[in-house]
Amino acid sequence: EVQLVESGGGLVQAGGSLRLSCAASGLTLDDPVIGWFRRAPGKEREGVSCIRSSDGYTDYKDSVKGRFTISTDNAKNTVYLQMNSLKAGDTAVYYCAAGPFPTLGDPRDYDYWGQGTQVTVSS
């Protein structure tokens, strides 16, 4: 059974940093795409970043480019999202997801989801 478990969320001041982790079981990170999505209060889920570890392909939402970095540790079967220079607009529940294609456009393209971890950025 595929399981994805996020951790690393919390409360930080604007300009601070957090590193989110997504521990995967039941799949190998070489094969699927892992994406990070977020859901802010009153809004739909939006794609933040994704990575295809087999060839290193990555993609980022425009508003996080230069601030967020996605990476994998295949030995630990874990995906990370390093978030720097955090803004109040980054406040959301962050989810990791696994699917066949590296897309940020439609969450329904992803097959497996974690439980989410709360990120709150205060001004």
Side-chain angles (χ1 to χ4, degrees):
E1 181 178 345
V2 174
Q3 288 188 319
L4 304 173
V5 180
E6 303 97 331
S7 62
L11 173 64
V12 298
Q13 201 76 21
S17 298
L18 285 173
R19 188 180 73 162
L20 305 183
S21 299
C22 174
S25 61
L27 60 83
T28 301
L29 298 184
D30 286 339
D31 296 326
V33 171
I34 300 295
W36 285 96
F37 288 75
R38 66 188 183 188
R39 179 178 57 82
K43 297 184 178 181
E44 300 296 321
R45 287 174 295 174
E46 64 176 359
V48 178
S49 183
C50 64
I51 185 166
R52 185 170 58 205
S53 184
S54 60
D55 63 358
Y57 176 87
T58 60
D59 196 14
Y60 297 90
K61 176 180 172 64
D62 286 346
S63 64
V64 310
K65 289 180 179 177
R67 300 190 296 121
F68 291 10
T69 303
I70 191 169
S71 63
T72 64
D73 185 336
N74 289 357
K76 297 181 178 179
N77 231 37
T78 299
V79 179
Y80 302 99
L81 185 67
Q82 179 67 47
M83 306 187 296
N84 299 327
S85 302
L86 283 162
K87 306 174 180 179
D90 296 318
T91 295
V93 177
Y94 283 70
Y95 301 88
C96 66
F101 306 111
T103 178
L104 302 178
D106 191 348
R108 294 173 295 181
D109 289 333
Y110 288 81
D111 300 312
Y112 303 101
W113 292 83
Q115 84 288 351
T117 185
Q118 176 71 49
V119 172
T120 303
V121 184
S122 62
S123 300

